[in-house]
Amino acid sequence: MNKEEIVRELLRKGIIVTPETLEKIEKQGMTAIDGETDAIAQSAPAGAAKKRITCRIKGVKLSREITVDDVVNINVQRYEAVRRMLLRKTSAVSINNIGRTNAKITVIGMVSETAEGGFVIQDTTGILHVRSTTRPDIHDVIAVSGWMRNGILVGEEISYPDIPLDREINTMTGKVLLTYERGSHEQNADVVITEDSLIEQGQERMITNPAWLFLENGTGKAVIFVYKTDNPVEKEDAVKMLKRRHIVRKETAIPNSAMVFETIPDIIWFISRNPPWVENYKGVSIISMPKGHNALINLKTRKVEMS
């Protein structure tokens, strides 16, 4: 390995080397540092172990006016994105290909109507009445498994895309401060996020609503989703959004890429007016708080200090 590769490998292990030790490793290999980890770490300059966090912002271009075509296109994009997630979990047939069958089937579609005793689901090929005691919400994209009886699907199981339990959860060293106003807590954080900006190493960049923030350093990475809404967000509402893997917002035509969780966020900040709360759902840390509060998040442990 060359010097750059050696340094990268050691940093991944949390080891910092002096130039002299680096020369030794290059000549003798990694065995040159066996038993010397403590000495190597102590010989590094104070503060050298703290890697700078780099931040990438994925903003959103919003439409000023909403047309009927905008709404239709956003619904189609959202449907297709969530359908792809569900197809990773199950096999499904199109509604127009159901025909007469005695076998158990699964269909994927968007809920267009609900009524006592069931609901109506539709895909790009047709509509289907489902008999079920479960009442999904209109616009939910779901997979329904069951048996056809007299042209109606008797649903036995309803699945949402949800957050996979077997996914690898991102971690990294560093702290992020969520705040409405800069103040005394700022010096405790590597990155500061306000409702309209991201501040890192003294540099401030504006963010849109919503915004995706991608943080990374030599110790790992983190994905943060920031969303400001005029409506209160309760814990159960937030969990529903993650199960659905999308957020529906009617008042603004926001592109599908911003509102569908194709990428699973590690942290979500709902900027809203409800009392402050913190929730962890399948490895996703969710924070919601009104003005006057701050949240300091340890990116390694996900511990949240609310003030």
Side-chain angles (χ1 to χ4, degrees), residues 63 65-77 253-254:
S63 301
E65 297 181 359
I66 306 174
T67 66
V68 173
D69 287 342
D70 288 333
V71 175
V72 171
N73 289 335
I74 289 169
N75 282 335
V76 169
Q77 291 171 7
I254 298 178

